[in-house]
Amino acid sequence: MKAKYLLILVAIFSTSCSKSVLSDMEISDPHLLKVKVKIEQNIHDEKEVQVFIRDKNNKPVDLLSGRVIINEHTLPFERAQVNAAGTRGYIYTPHYDEQIFKITIYWNSYESHTFILSPQNGWPGFKYPNCSCTHNHDSDTIYNSYSLKPAPFYNHEIDIVYNIMNW
């Protein structure tokens, strides 16, 4: 009986994590894409800017002829490591002092949308420990979300979420 439930869970998990059919085609309509940017910082001061591109069924899209660029770095489609349980997307590890992120999403080889995450539009920037000693394990996190509008994507928006340490 346990084996039956285990097989059902494996089937659900494997189909829910599979890539979207949009990964196999050049995308001409950006409204087919949901875009979410997560900025994560954990207790070990590991940081990631995670750009998740999904279809209407929330399946990950690996842009066939497109790409994602953050601060002039073209990103691979891979699994996030910081606070994301291995979710697949375009992952950028910022340098220690980076606080502003210029993000360009090409949904095909020639059409793109560029936006900047900065204190002027809602992203407060990473917080840093008050000392160079070991990190305070009682630190709180700052969690917030907002939308950038207008955008050419689904619902004419880009969802922004950040979960950073409040040292």
Side-chain angles (χ1 to χ4, degrees), residues 47-112:
K47 301 174 203 128
E48 284 183 342
V49 178
Q50 307 160 346
V51 180
F52 298 117
I53 300 176
R54 303 286 184 255
D55 66 13
K56 66 179 181 176
N57 297 317
N58 287 322
K59 290 195 175 201
V61 176
D62 182 2
L63 300 167
L64 178 67
S65 58
R67 62 193 177 281
V68 175
I69 300 169
I70 296 182
N71 294 354
E72 301 182 22
H73 296 275
T74 301
L75 305 179
F77 183 77
E78 61 186 347
R79 293 195 181 278
Q81 300 297 314
V82 180
N83 300 333
T87 305
R88 291 185 292 178
Y90 295 89
I91 311 302
Y92 178 71
T93 303
H95 300 290
Y96 180 77
D97 60 347
E98 280 184 295
Q99 295 285 356
I100 297 173
F101 302 104
K102 179 181 177 186
I103 302 172
T104 302
I105 298 171
Y106 283 85
W107 52 90
N108 56 42
S109 59
Y110 53 92
E111 294 178 292
S112 67

Side-chain angles (χ1 to χ4, degrees), residues 38-52 78-87 91-94 126 141 161-165:
K38 287 181 72 179
I39 302 174
E40 299 279 359
Q41 178 184 28
N42 66 18
I43 191 74
H44 305 291
D45 202 25
E46 297 169 316
K47 301 174 203 128
E48 284 183 342
V49 178
Q50 307 160 346
V51 180
F52 298 117
E78 61 186 347
R79 293 195 181 278
Q81 300 297 314
V82 180
N83 300 333
T87 305
I91 311 302
Y92 178 71
T93 303
F126 290 111
T141 58
V161 175
Y162 57 88
N163 186 18
I164 60 175
M165 298 307 299

